[in-house]
Amino acid sequence: MTDSTQTFYITTPIYYVNDRPHIGHLYTTTVADVVARIHRLAGEDTFFLTGTDEHAAKVVDTAAERGMSAQAWADQNAEAFRTTFERFGISNDDFIRTSEARHKAFVTGMISDLVETGDVYLGEYEGWYDAGQEEYVPEARAAEHDFKSPINGKSLVRRKEENYFFRLSAFSDDLLAWIDANPEFIQPVARRNEVLGRIREGLADVPISRSGGGDWGIPFPGRSDHMIYVWIDALINYTSTVEAPERRKYWPANLHLIAKDILWFHAVIWPAMLMAIQKAPGREWMKLPRQIYAHSFWIRDGQKMSKSLGNFVDLEKLDEVVEKFGLDALRWYLLTQGPLGTDDGDFSDARFLAVYNSDLANTLGNSFHRISNMTGRYLGGCFEEPSSDPGLRARVEEILGDDRRAPLGLGGLSKGLDLVRAIDAFIEETQPFKLAKQEGTEERVAEILYSCAETYRLASLLLWPTLPQKMEEVWRRMGLEEYTVRLADPEGPGLADCMAWGGLSAGASIEKGPPLFARIQDE
Ligand code: MSP
């Protein structure tokens, strides 16, 4: 890889280590995984980070209830997140834990520097504290919510303490100017407008340390009776992970993917901290991330998922789905039905089955089955001479567009599906199964089937980031195993040359096999 290779750095939130992984965590991480795969395919030097946020006070309490040390409890649960993501095919390049020495050292250094620049100072704070979120709620917002948590509805408590503060109030104008000048910085647009509105209401300084909470956390530099507030510690993970010289090239991150619940920290507090720290010597590299994208929430059967309702799509449920439909089917549902925009996404068994049967079994699976079946029957499984139908080829060009990079992005998945639908329409129109029964049609039948197979090959490339297992199976059956290596090679040409029409050469064969996605009947 040359120095000039474009880099792409994507992050997920780091998840509270006290939780068990559920669909919400898996969703954000899976979307990030698909995006990371898309950028790797495009030949970019990609770095994908996820991890765990471990210094919440709750960790200490839960550990104590179990007669464990906070560290042992965090170790156990961080491992559960790490192995879960591995099991669900997530291709993260690192997994950061905030209790690791590499992270703590970086946080300590950064906070010391912020004291130096004058952006962190000692003061006293009194306000409305949301114990569930471990955050103070501004006076106006607390009043608006009747002094209940805007997140979980529990009563806020009045608290007073000596704290170190971050001078957030000094950054209002700079933040507004930045958001204004960079329309892509906060997305979707509705979230951007929310943030702008709240900044215009005025920014108060934020407490970033707390005392009397025991020794679980990162001590405030030079004041070991104070711990750095968990949210401040957590946000810094995005930079502590890429501090090392060989990883610096990844910063600024291209995308912090999060959900709407933690937008304020990412879109206001974090950028302001970065604006502040850039003034410190040697910290010039700590620029603002390029984009913060906040998706919405999964709900279940039309209802909010909550601990009290006990209706979380938990790990057991997710495992069941994978057992029955396969991992790629779960990824497909998450990506196509998920809350990527501002609407919530509904997880329902009936909907899952309907989407599975229509998109995967009846379209992607069935189309491959028809092509491989007819190629086996009429052509002995192999294309002697590539010959293309101009009509289908034109349709393919129309779907893909001129720019061979255009089909990338999350839209690639629907373009892949469109290509397969075009194959189906073409088969309906040309009826190769009827033609094959007539004399003197061999060449035309071969042309039709080659064109279908070639279109499917192109679709498989666009579908791979979302359906890696199944598309690798398709490549195997088409004799394109080398794609797995070739496309992953950072030195290689990436996707571009594979996206040209005609990749299946003379002598290419297709193997029939069990259905890629077996049709599943409603029980
Ligand atoms: N530890 C903080 C984040 C610190 S980042 C510097 C935290 N952790 S969390 O475990 O609560 O994870 C919150 C994130 O999990 C959300 O922003 C979202 O990415 C994901 N989700 C949790 N529940 C979700 C849904 N019901 N639906 C979709 N995603 C949700 O906040």
Side-chain angles (χ1 to χ4, degrees):
M1 195 169 305
T2 58
D3 285 348
S4 62
T5 307
Q6 202 175 332
T7 59
F8 185 82
Y9 178 20
I10 181 167
T11 68
T12 73
I14 50 172
Y15 303 109
Y16 283 130
V17 79
N18 228 28
D19 273 357
R20 294 200 62 222
H22 60 63
I23 189 173
H25 312 126
L26 189 67
Y27 174 66
T28 311
T29 311
T30 300
V31 175
D33 181 69
V34 173
V35 175
R37 286 171 189 266
I38 287 169
H39 285 269
R40 288 193 199 108
L41 263 192
E44 291 171 24
D45 178 3
T46 304
F47 191 73
F48 167 22
L49 179 67
T50 188
T52 42
D53 179 357
E54 309 196 356
H55 292 135
K58 273 182 281 188
V59 172
V60 180
D61 301 342
T62 322
E65 281 162 24
R66 288 166 197 253
M68 291 168 90
S69 70
Q71 188 65 61
W73 172 241
D75 288 349
Q76 182 179 314
N77 288 11
E79 192 55 12
F81 273 97
R82 208 185 53 74
T83 56
T84 298
F85 290 156
E86 199 172 278
R87 198 150 49 83
F88 284 85
I90 303 299
S91 63
N92 52 299
D93 296 290
D94 199 352
F95 187 96
I96 181 76
R97 298 184 50 193
T98 55
S99 65
E100 288 175 88
R102 59 171 170 159
H103 173 73
K104 290 187 186 174
F106 185 85
V107 171
T108 310
M110 179 164 162
I111 299 298
S112 303
D113 285 357
L114 287 173
V115 174
E116 285 298 308
T117 60
D119 293 292
V120 165
Y121 64 92
L122 185 63
E124 194 170 72
Y125 189 83
E126 185 177 352
W128 297 102
Y129 190 73
D130 183 337
Q133 294 300 107
E134 303 201 28
E135 63 172 319
Y136 280 94
V137 180
E139 190 71 34
R141 196 162 147 82
E144 188 185 314
H145 289 268
D146 205 16
F147 303 97
K148 304 251 171 24
S149 163
I151 308 291
N152 67 15
K154 291 194 186 140
S155 291
L156 299 170
V157 284
R158 194 76 190 160
R159 241 166 80 159
K160 185 173 178 177
E161 53 187 316
E162 188 188 47
N163 290 122
Y164 286 90
F165 283 82
F166 171 58
R167 214 177 286 285
L168 181 64
S169 59
F171 293 93
S172 292
D173 293 344
D174 288 348
L175 283 167
L176 288 171
W178 182 269
I179 298 169
D180 194 49
N182 298 278
E184 300 295 310
F185 183 57
I186 304 168
Q187 285 290 321
V189 174
R191 300 288 170 234
R192 176 174 189 264
N193 293 337
E194 266 170 42
V195 170
L196 283 170
R198 272 185 72 188
I199 298 177
R200 290 196 189 107
E201 283 169 20
L203 294 178
D205 292 350
V206 284
I208 64 155
S209 77
R210 94 173 149 227
S211 55
D215 64 355
W216 180 241
I218 306 180
F220 194 91
R223 275 296 296 272
S224 55
D225 57 328
H226 277 248
M227 289 289 159
I228 296 167
Y229 174 46
V230 62
W231 256 107
I232 299 299
D233 154 5
L235 287 165
I236 297 172
N237 90 87
Y238 302 128
T239 45
S240 65
T241 309
V242 295
E243 185 213 5
E246 68 279 12
R247 283 185 172 177
R248 279 276 175 92
K249 62 180 172 186
Y250 294 119
W251 193 260
N254 297 74
L255 179 58
H256 288 323
L257 186 67
I258 57 169
K260 58 187 179 182
D261 54 338
I262 56 178
L263 180 60
W264 186 251
F265 287 101
H266 284 81
V268 176
I269 298 180
W270 178 229
M273 284 168 66
L274 289 166
M275 285 174 171
I277 194 70
Q278 280 174 56
K279 294 182 280 182
R283 300 275 183 189
E284 299 79 9
W285 65 279
M286 293 179 73
K287 307 222 177 321
L288 269 62
R290 300 207 194 281
Q291 185 172 82
I292 291 137
Y293 190 100
H295 62 70
S296 293
F297 267 57
W298 279 100
I299 55 174
R300 177 123 191 228
D301 299 313
Q303 267 192 313
K304 192 175 169 232
M305 291 192 295
S306 73
K307 293 222 170 79
S308 50
L309 287 171
N311 64 347
F312 264 98
V313 178
D314 58 14
L315 215 42
E316 284 69 32
K317 174 70 188 173
L318 291 164
D319 276 327
E320 232 173 74
V321 169
V322 171
E323 175 73 22
K324 185 166 172 189
F325 297 93
L327 179 56
D328 281 0
L330 174 63
R331 289 170 70 95
W332 184 264
Y333 191 79
L334 294 180
L335 267 293
T336 62
Q337 308 298 312
L340 200 58
T342 45
D343 292 338
D344 288 340
D346 196 5
F347 195 96
S348 95
D349 291 339
R351 179 117 191 96
F352 193 104
L353 184 72
V355 170
Y356 174 87
N357 278 332
S358 94
D359 291 353
L360 300 181
N362 296 347
T363 306
L364 298 185
N366 189 49
S367 185
F368 188 79
H369 180 75
R370 290 174 96 184
I371 300 168
S372 57
N373 192 30
M374 288 191 280
T375 305
R377 258 205 188 151
Y378 310 135
L379 309 177
C382 154
F383 303 106
E384 277 171 23
E385 234 10 272
S387 150
S388 314
D389 178 87
L392 181 57
R393 192 170 165 183
R395 179 78 187 106
V396 168
E397 300 298 335
E398 189 188 323
I399 293 169
L400 292 180
D402 294 336
D403 180 0
R404 285 305 185 207
R405 287 176 50 99
L408 292 173
L410 289 174
L413 149 172
S414 56
K415 290 198 178 197
L417 194 61
D418 286 347
L419 287 178
V420 175
R421 291 201 174 112
I423 297 174
D424 288 347
F426 180 65
I427 293 178
E428 284 321 304
E429 183 190 307
T430 54
Q431 311 249 314
F433 38 89
K434 280 196 185 146
L435 275 183
K437 292 182 189 134
Q438 299 163 20
E439 292 288 315
T441 57
E442 292 83 358
E443 274 181 24
R444 176 61 179 152
V445 170
E447 177 175 276
I448 292 171
L449 293 177
Y450 176 84
S451 304
C452 292
E454 180 55 18
T455 305
Y456 204 101
R457 184 190 68 82
L458 290 168
S460 74
L461 291 160
L462 299 184
L463 294 167
W464 176 82
T466 314
L467 306 171
Q469 288 183 347
K470 296 296 179 180
M471 292 306 117
E472 284 170 25
E473 171 65 12
V474 163
W475 295 346
R476 201 191 58 69
R477 291 194 204 172
M478 289 181 130
L480 300 169
E481 293 94 332
E482 51 133 4
Y483 276 14
T484 325
V485 182
R486 177 162 151 192
L487 292 165
D489 178 7
E491 308 277 345
L495 186 63
D497 71 324
C498 300
M499 284 302 295
W501 180 272
L504 281 177
S505 45
S509 61
I510 302 198
E511 179 193 317
K512 230 179 95 180
L516 286 176
F517 299 97
R519 224 191 125 72
I520 293 179
Q521 299 301 329
D522 202 350
E523 281 139 20

